[in-house]
Amino acid sequence: MTTILVSGASGIIGYGTLRSLRKGDPSYKLIGTTIYDDSVAPAFCDIFEQAIPTVDDGYVDWLCGVIEKHKVDMIIPCIDVDMYAWNEHRERIAQTGTKLLLNNLDLIELCGDKWEFYKKMQAAGSKYLIDSKTEGTFAELRDAFGLPFLMKPKRGFGSKGIVIVDSEEIFTKHKDDLGPVLMAQQIVGDEETEYTVSAFFDSNSTLCCLMGMRRKLGVEGFTQKAEVVDLPEAETAIKDMAALLKPVGPTNFQFRMHDGQLKLLEVNPRISSATSIRTAFGYNESAMAVAYFLHNVTPTQPSIRRGYAVRYAEDQVFYDSDTV
């Protein structure tokens, strides 16, 4: 029996990954972990383990203990804080004998700092970059980017912490953070031309398969609505970037179309937050990862159904064992 641990199982990526794994192979023994004792996670796994916070000094020892207790074959991080912690301690965790679903070590570190990522892509002359700066007056940034422009955290994920600057008053409130915390960036395209493309790479960073969707974000910064689309430009862009970034395994690229050119919003070196939607249309990146990293089965491009998906709230009820 193959045993797989999924962290962050209370979140949309975590339980989406658990659902996708179950659909890929019902025989998998699935373990879900989260710091919350009242989450939806137990509904989607065979075993639930309440985690200690990732930032605690004893976290890695706790994780290794759970791996050894359940003889876990593979672990999959589904929140960014776990991905970065596992990346930092990957040798220690690997000593348990488990397989870590982690991307290229250097790429994970690079994606942790959007400004460093920008500089690397800029040095390579990438045409997919969005013009960005970490210094400048309001007038200088207005002249460079137009109004409105945005200021976003150099570290972070999704749309959290983004400030839309449409006046000098807004800029003044945040100007001291420009450089140390925030970077300024041109706003490109619009919500109607935003795309999420997940790709799978082998250990040589060769593209094996991919799936693109046009999307709209919800208030939490995750995909709320998505439509399957063909986006031939994305395959070319991803191959170009892969030559520089050397991704391995599931990797998510987010784009907007601007004046006929794809522009890169960000790269997430992990399973996508829309992974359960992709699975429903035939692209199961979680199952691909298990097949490739545990069983040496290289993914090929799956047949993907057409359509669109809408996420909505749903109730999951857990009854007390002593009630009828």
Side-chain angles (χ1 to χ4, degrees), residues 199-203 205-210 283 292 298-302:
F200 197 102
F201 300 87
D202 66 17
S203 58
S205 299
T206 300
L207 178 64
C208 301
C209 52
L210 79 169
Y283 187 92
Y292 182 69
T298 302
T300 57
Q301 183 65 44

Side-chain angles (χ1 to χ4, degrees), residues 123-270:
S126 175
K127 63 183 179 181
Y128 307 107
L129 280 182
I130 301 171
D131 194 15
S132 304
K133 299 181 185 296
T134 54
E135 58 184 19
T137 65
F138 172 75
E140 289 170 339
L141 295 173
R142 179 199 59 202
D143 292 345
F145 301 149
L147 287 180
F149 61 88
L150 61 82
M151 297 171 72
K152 68 179 185 180
K154 294 194 296 185
R155 293 184 174 273
F157 65 95
S159 58
K160 297 182 184 300
I162 289 179
V163 178
I164 303 299
V165 179
D166 58 6
S167 68
E168 188 166 7
E169 181 182 5
I170 296 295
F171 175 78
T172 300
K173 290 180 180 179
H174 301 278
K175 68 177 183 178
D176 291 342
D177 287 332
L178 182 61
V181 178
L182 301 174
M183 54 191 285
Q185 190 174 83
Q186 179 187 11
I187 295 177
V188 299
D190 55 43
E191 293 182 355
E192 299 302 319
T193 60
E194 185 161 319
Y195 302 92
T196 172
V197 183
S198 282
F200 197 102
F201 300 87
D202 66 17
S203 58
N204 296 314
S205 299
T206 300
L207 178 64
C208 301
C209 52
L210 79 169
M211 177 183 175
M213 298 188 296
R214 181 166 54 236
R215 72 169 187 181
K216 290 187 178 180
L217 295 179
V219 294
E220 294 297 320
F222 299 120
T223 298
Q224 185 68 29
K225 298 180 180 180
E227 178 187 8
V228 178
V229 295
D230 293 323
L231 195 63
E233 305 96 323
E235 182 171 352
T236 299
I238 286 170
K239 286 180 177 178
D240 286 349
M241 287 185 280
L244 175 67
L245 301 174
K246 304 299 181 186
V248 176
T251 309
N252 178 246
F253 299 80
Q254 296 172 13
F255 299 100
R256 274 190 177 183
M257 188 70 75
H258 183 71
D259 293 338
Q261 170 67 55
L262 279 183
K263 293 294 184 179
L264 179 69
L265 298 177
E266 66 179 3
V267 174
N268 294 309
R270 53 163 169 76

Side-chain angles (χ1 to χ4, degrees), residues 5-10 13-15 31-34 59 63 75-79 82-83 86:
L5 182 151
V6 174
S7 79
S10 60
I13 306 176
Y15 60 75
I31 300 171
T33 72
T34 177
Y59 172 76
L63 176 63
I75 61 174
I76 301 176
C78 289
I79 50 176
D82 286 353
M83 178 180 68
W86 296 6

Side-chain angles (χ1 to χ4, degrees), residues 16-28 30 44 275-284 286-287 305:
T17 296
L18 287 166
R19 290 172 59 194
S20 296
L21 289 167
R22 183 70 77 207
K23 188 170 184 178
D25 189 336
S27 73
Y28 291 153
L30 301 179
F44 299 103
T275 191
S276 59
I277 295 177
R278 296 181 198 281
T279 295
F281 286 107
Y283 187 92
N284 192 334
S286 301
R305 296 188 65 177

Side-chain angles (χ1 to χ4, degrees), residues 42-61:
F44 299 103
C45 56
D46 300 302
I47 298 171
F48 172 72
E49 290 277 1
Q50 186 173 355
I52 66 173
T54 310
V55 296
D56 282 12
D57 290 340
Y59 172 76
V60 174
D61 288 337

